[in-house]
Amino acid sequence: MPLDLGHASRDAAIMPHDHHDHDQPHSHLPPEPALRVKALETILTRKGLIDPATLPEIKLASNQIETGWAVDGRRQVNLDPGYISMAKLVLATTKNHGHRVYLSRGIYAEVTLQYRNKAFRPWECTYPDYATSEYCQLFQAIRKKYVSQLRER
């Protein structure tokens, strides 16, 4: 039975994606800079709260979506599911690195941003796009909604 990912909230943010290594094999953009279309990232939030223990299943479902959108075996979309807590933004990944923790079924968790001194702050290893002030402010707004969802429970 497919995992129910719920419904996206009505608000989303579309951000420029200027920090991607376009030479990676999954990239569908041409190598010539003049021919590249500027990539965009859309940050969607889910209505309601999730159990963080479901993150591996959510990432596996997102991988299936990525595969379904692939053209000639190359990803056209990259989905990075995660969750916000009071203290952090956590993203799921299939890539193992020293700062990531194994969850299950080939899925790792990364604390991408930490919440400290009333703001999200990147780590040295945070992806460059997530480390920008625009992203940190966006996740600050999402955290505010999360806090209100916690109060409504």
Side-chain angles (χ1 to χ4, degrees):
M1 176 161 50
L3 180 66
D4 179 11
L5 298 177
H7 299 285
S9 65
R10 290 181 182 242
D11 51 355
I14 299 176
M15 311 285 276
H17 184 66
D18 299 328
H19 304 282
H20 182 71
D21 180 0
H22 294 292
D23 296 325
Q24 291 297 315
H26 68 268
S27 176
H28 65 282
L29 299 175
E32 301 82 20
L35 298 177
R36 290 186 186 156
V37 175
K38 183 165 236 156
L40 297 175
E41 288 184 312
T42 303
I43 306 296
L44 297 172
T45 58
R46 181 190 182 280
K47 285 184 180 178
L49 302 173
I50 67 157
D51 178 354
T54 63
L55 192 55
E57 287 75 27
I58 293 170
K59 178 60 179 168
L60 291 169
S62 75
N63 287 351
Q64 289 179 339
I65 294 168
E66 288 179 3
T67 299
W69 280 81
V71 175
D72 297 328
R74 300 174 99 177
R75 284 194 302 182
Q76 304 298 300
V77 295
N78 179 30
L79 302 174
D80 293 320
Y83 66 88
I84 283 182
S85 74
M86 295 297 287
K88 60 193 169 285
L89 167 69
V90 176
L91 294 180
T93 180
T94 58
K95 299 171 198 82
N96 183 17
H97 289 289
H99 63 287
R100 295 178 177 159
V101 177
Y102 185 75
L103 298 175
S104 71
R105 301 177 66 195
I107 305 301
Y108 298 82
E110 171 185 285
V111 178
T112 302
L113 298 172
Q114 60 180 307
Y115 190 79
R116 183 173 40 88
N117 298 328
K118 300 184 181 184
F120 277 107
R121 302 186 189 284
W123 303 94
E124 184 179 311
C125 55
T126 298
Y127 287 118
D129 47 354
Y130 283 91
T132 65
S133 62
E134 293 86 4
Y135 272 73
C136 290
Q137 290 169 11
L138 170 65
F139 289 116
Q140 176 75 24
I142 294 169
R143 182 184 181 274
K144 189 175 181 179
K145 289 180 183 182
Y146 168 71
V147 169
S148 83
Q149 287 178 331
L150 287 176
R151 289 185 182 139
E152 293 171 3
R153 286 174 58 180

